């Protein structure tokens, strides 16, 4: 019969071995890279939400311009509704289909906003409106923040994907059930480019 001291010693050795194997197989590295991707995604999501929150004020301001093209406004409203209707949570970074759906919806909103800004150029009264200029400045700043957040996310995913595919960290990835994640692509022409806002 084993003594209590030998049982405790055996458990201690087992814990040390598991810890050594976990760190040796990259388990902890995978955890760190996984958390970095989630943090980068949270920033992307936050900046897209910021843009979505600006759209109703922008639409209301533009509605005040006489004879403004209704189709352009409707397109922006519909694109915003579609972009905000997609259920976004941290699990989206592991679901290529949902990720692509989210990216396409955001690309459509970017394109609609670009058209709205282009049409607004034909309305001198609107362009000189302080409210419109303020919203355009906020939108431009938000688009720049989106581009920066997307860039950070792409870098975090690249780092993560490299980690889960290389030895020995690929062992830690398999233990955690982690695999390669999707990242942003240029699915919409100039989707990652901030709309150019010009005032006279």
């Amino acid at each position: 019969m084993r003594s209590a001291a030998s049982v405790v010693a055996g458990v201690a050795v087992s814990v040390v071995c598991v810890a050594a194997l976990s760190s040796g197989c990259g388990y902890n590295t995978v955890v760190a890279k996984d958390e970095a991707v989630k943090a980068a995604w949270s920033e992307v999501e936050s900046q897209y939400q910021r843009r979505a929150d600006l759209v109703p004020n922008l639409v209301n301001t533009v509605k005040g311009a006489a004879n403004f093209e209704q189709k352009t406004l409707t397109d922006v409203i519909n694109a915003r509704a579609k972009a905000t209707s997609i259920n976004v949570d941290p699990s989206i970074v592991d679901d290529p289909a949902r990720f692509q759906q989210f990216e396409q919806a955001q690309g459509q909103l970017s394109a609609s906003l670009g058209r709205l800004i282009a049409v607004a150029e034909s309305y001198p009264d609107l362009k000189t409106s302080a409210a419109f200029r303020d919203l355009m400045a906020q939108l431009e700043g938000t688009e720049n923040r989106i581009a920066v957040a997307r860039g950070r996310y792409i870098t975090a995913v690249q780092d993560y994907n490299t980690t889960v595919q290389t030895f020995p960290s690929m062992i830690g990835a398999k233990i955690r059930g982690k695999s390669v994640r999707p990242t942003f692509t240029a699915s919409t022409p100039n989707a990652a480019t901030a709309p150019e806002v010009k005032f006279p």
Side-chain angles (χ1 to χ4, degrees), residues 180-199:
V180 172
R181 283 185 165 136
T183 190
F184 289 109
T185 57
S187 59
T188 302
N190 303 318
T193 305
E196 189 176 354
V197 181
K198 293 181 180 175
F199 298 108

Side-chain angles (χ1 to χ4, degrees), residues 164-187:
V164 301
Q165 294 181 91
T166 54
F167 186 82
S169 54
M170 66 190 305
I171 296 168
K174 291 210 182 298
I175 291 169
R176 294 199 71 226
K178 296 296 181 181
S179 59
V180 172
R181 283 185 165 136
T183 190
F184 289 109
T185 57
S187 59

